[in-house]
Amino acid sequence: MAVCEPGEPIYPGLRETGRVERGGGSLGNPGGKPYHVVINAENYHALEALGFCYAGKVDCVYIDPPYNTGAKDWKYNNDYVGADDAYRHSKWLAWMERRLKLAKTLLNPDDSVLVCTIDEKEYLRLGLLLEQTFPEARIQMVSCMINPGGVSRQTSFSRTDEYIYCVMIGSASPAALRLPDEWLGGVKGTSRTKLHWDSLMRTGTNSMRADSPNLFYPVFVTEDGSKFVGAGESLALSVDRTTIRPPHGAKAIFPIHLDGSEGRWQVGRRTLLDLQQNHCVKLGKFTPRGMAITYLKAGQREKVESGEFNVTGFAPDGSYVVDNDGYRPAYRPGTQWMISSHDAARYGSGLLRRIFGDKRFDFPKSLYAVEDTLRFFIGGKPNALVLDFFAGSGTTAHAVMRLNHEDGGRRISISVTNNEMSAAEERELTAAGLRQGDAGWEKHGICRDVTIPRIRAAITGRTPQNQPIKGDYRFTDPFPMADGFDENAVFFDLIYQDPYQVELRRGFQAIAPLLWMRAGCRGPIIRKENDTYAIADTYAVLFRWSAVNAFIKRLEEQPEARTVYVVTDEPTQYTRLCGMLPDRDVIRLYRSYLESFKIASEGAVD
């Protein structure tokens, strides 16, 4: 049934189809958890509608788009694109570009990231598209092992990995994290696994005595080399070091290179003495040239002073003795991730089998691979807003809930997915006399059959058959899956409004969820137009200007209602309300409510 003629505007809305609540946030409890949102929709129209709610506010977009394998894994203009289509790549690029441009308007321009996974079919073209769409961003690609056994290819190497593009906008960058040794990639560098003592003697460029004469001076140690005695004054170039006489019972140590040439120390005499007094200079063994002396640079000193390293005592030379065994370094890993928890067969397909008891979705991501990727960018943002408009099986939302469980965060995930199914399933249902829109057809779509049940099961800890989910979450935050999460989620269908209802100033119920989402996805939704005004936990709507004084007075009693909507066609009324509520976010709605959400249909050619 036609929604509109080509070129006519579209008026979107949302219709709730269900929810699950375990995180509080009901009426009168604004301190409860916000709601995760799942929207069953064509994602282009959903992204346009979300522009009202989240323009410039999204912290992270994580997407896993169709890989364009030629195996009828995605549609263009409602037809599957096959491997023999000569325009397969250009269609995919045009289809992706439209969505990426909309996603860009939602991302925070000061600090946000877009993460996009892809395989070898389109990674080159996607990389160019990302550079074209985000010219101001820093883009890096990571190779992630997802199938250690490999997917066999008859005429090429078996595929074991996929690629993760990280588009870093503004100040966004991956955080240094304390990671298991597996992330070191087999490299056991002491600078990462132990307190690192640097050589006091400079090497490399500008390392000769003549380069910095003030840094050529004697360091005095006891004759047995166990204790620090002091340091002498710097020697002018004309002074022969062999003329220096150390204190009684001490030896003079100079910075001498392997070839016997005179070098220089890294720090000056006064600094060295201060470092030694603060336990940051370590004496090594005697060598034919003198002694190997090391010291702690500023970064390592901070780790000791902050308690990252547990100080267990002091060596005879006065230097720190620390417990390296209990130390987990914080660092940024390399671009090749060979992490066992990222195995998609075990922790993607295997996890879904625990929930559903069958294979219901092809190639789901490892929950822990998505969780780890997100942690680098939003692990330090407990209130982050995360969007996935290729939500598929719902792994991104699941991963966000895992992060919240780990640190008590209140991150929100917005998941957008259609309710399509595979070509084979469509043929079976068509043969059974069903068609798109029938209840028997729709219940088999991705959103209804996979995404929503998975998110519901993750929160409740129970399968769709109401049985406790067997097994435990592993790795960073192990606990029984049956415990579920203290989270809330609400499920919507994107609907299209009758233009005549718009003209009659009806349809508030359709846009009500969008107002609620913009206000933070917490508490109840104001669903009906009242004669005057309505106030919920986190937002309020002024329907009639005549009630503005009573509205302001009542609003003073609701400090949590930070977002205020005013329904008016008069710019002066909107301006006045902004002046009356300088500390709140005031948004204007036209009396024909849906005019505020009108989107043009000509861009949505898919």
Side-chain angles (χ1 to χ4, degrees), residues 421-435 441 444:
M421 59 196 73
S422 69
E425 289 174 315
E426 286 190 359
R427 286 194 297 270
E428 292 178 6
L429 293 174
T430 300
L434 298 172
R435 60 183 180 180
W441 177 293
H444 294 288

Side-chain angles (χ1 to χ4, degrees), residues 22 24 261 430 448 477:
R22 291 190 73 198
S261 61
T430 300
R448 300 282 175 80
D477 182 25

Side-chain angles (χ1 to χ4, degrees), residues 47 58-65 96 99-108 111-117 126 129-131 133-134 137-140 164-170 172 373-374 377-378 386-387 389-390:
L47 286 170
V58 173
D59 296 291
C60 174
V61 168
Y62 185 105
I63 52 174
D64 180 33
M96 283 293 296
R99 287 152 179 80
L100 289 173
K101 284 182 174 179
L102 287 176
K104 184 177 181 178
T105 67
L106 301 178
L107 286 162
N108 180 349
D111 179 11
S112 62
V113 63
L114 180 142
V115 179
C116 184
T117 59
L126 176 63
L129 177 59
L130 291 173
E131 288 189 356
T133 309
F134 300 91
R138 290 167 293 108
I139 303 175
Q140 189 169 28
I164 305 173
Y165 276 107
C166 299
V167 181
M168 294 167 280
I169 300 169
T373 306
L374 292 176
F377 294 101
I378 63 168
V386 182
L387 170 65
F389 53 90
F390 289 104

Side-chain angles (χ1 to χ4, degrees), residues 49-75:
L50 290 174
F52 170 81
C53 307
Y54 300 128
K57 296 182 179 180
V58 173
D59 296 291
C60 174
V61 168
Y62 185 105
I63 52 174
D64 180 33
Y67 286 1
N68 200 16
T69 63
K72 292 189 174 183
D73 62 334
W74 71 287
K75 287 182 176 182

Side-chain angles (χ1 to χ4, degrees), residues 129 344 376 388 441 501 545 561 571 576:
L129 177 59
F376 283 112
D388 182 353
W441 177 293
Q501 295 294 314
W545 182 257
R576 283 184 60 192

Side-chain angles (χ1 to χ4, degrees), residues 288-527:
R289 301 173 311 282
M291 173 181 277
I293 303 176
T294 56
Y295 76 112
L296 293 180
K297 289 186 174 181
Q300 298 297 309
R301 296 198 299 271
E302 289 175 3
K303 291 180 180 179
V304 175
E305 292 164 2
S306 66
E308 287 187 38
F309 284 98
N310 180 31
V311 177
T312 59
F314 302 95
D317 60 9
S319 61
Y320 285 120
V321 175
V322 300
D323 179 12
N324 285 307
D325 293 337
Y327 174 64
R328 291 181 61 191
Y331 61 93
R332 295 179 179 88
T335 55
Q336 288 187 318
W337 297 356
M338 301 179 65
I339 312 301
S340 58
S341 62
H342 295 182
D343 186 339
R346 296 183 65 185
Y347 306 114
S349 300
L351 186 143
L352 287 189
R353 278 194 293 271
R354 289 182 181 275
I355 294 174
F356 294 114
D358 55 41
K359 181 181 179 181
R360 195 165 297 197
F361 187 84
D362 292 331
F363 312 119
K365 287 280 183 291
S366 163
L367 171 64
Y368 308 111
V370 178
E371 177 187 328
D372 286 342
T373 306
L374 292 176
R375 187 181 290 108
F376 283 112
F377 294 101
I378 63 168
K381 297 180 178 181
N383 298 303
L385 176 63
V386 182
L387 170 65
D388 182 353
F389 53 90
F390 289 104
S393 68
T395 307
T396 301
H398 201 160
V400 171
M401 290 189 284
R402 281 266 302 166
L403 290 176
N404 284 345
H405 187 273
E406 291 166 20
D407 62 9
R410 299 165 64 85
R411 301 171 186 86
I412 298 172
S413 66
I414 309 296
S415 304
V416 179
T417 184
N418 59 36
N419 202 42
E420 293 179 354
M421 59 196 73
S422 69
E425 289 174 315
E426 286 190 359
R427 286 194 297 270
E428 292 178 6
L429 293 174
T430 300
L434 298 172
R435 60 183 180 180
Q436 190 171 1
D438 292 342
W441 177 293
E442 295 298 324
K443 71 178 183 179
H444 294 288
I446 293 172
C447 187
R448 300 282 175 80
D449 194 41
V450 183
T451 318
I452 291 175
R454 186 224 181 122
I455 293 174
R456 185 184 294 277
I459 293 175
T460 62
R462 305 187 74 83
T463 70
Q465 294 76 36
N466 201 31
Q467 298 298 313
I469 301 174
K470 296 179 180 179
D472 297 337
Y473 291 110
R474 299 183 57 189
F475 310 108
T476 304
D477 182 25
F479 66 95
M481 293 185 186
D483 287 357
F485 296 98
D486 294 330
E487 301 281 349
N488 303 312
V490 61
F491 315 121
F492 296 110
D493 284 346
L494 184 74
I495 57 177
Y496 301 98
Q497 298 302 295
D498 184 344
Y500 295 107
Q501 295 294 314
V502 177
E503 293 176 6
L504 294 172
R505 300 179 181 177
R506 297 179 181 176
F508 179 80
Q509 189 168 359
I511 67 165
L514 294 168
L515 306 184
W516 170 80
M517 289 172 66
R518 179 166 178 161
C521 297
R522 290 196 292 128
I525 300 173
I526 298 173
R527 296 187 178 277

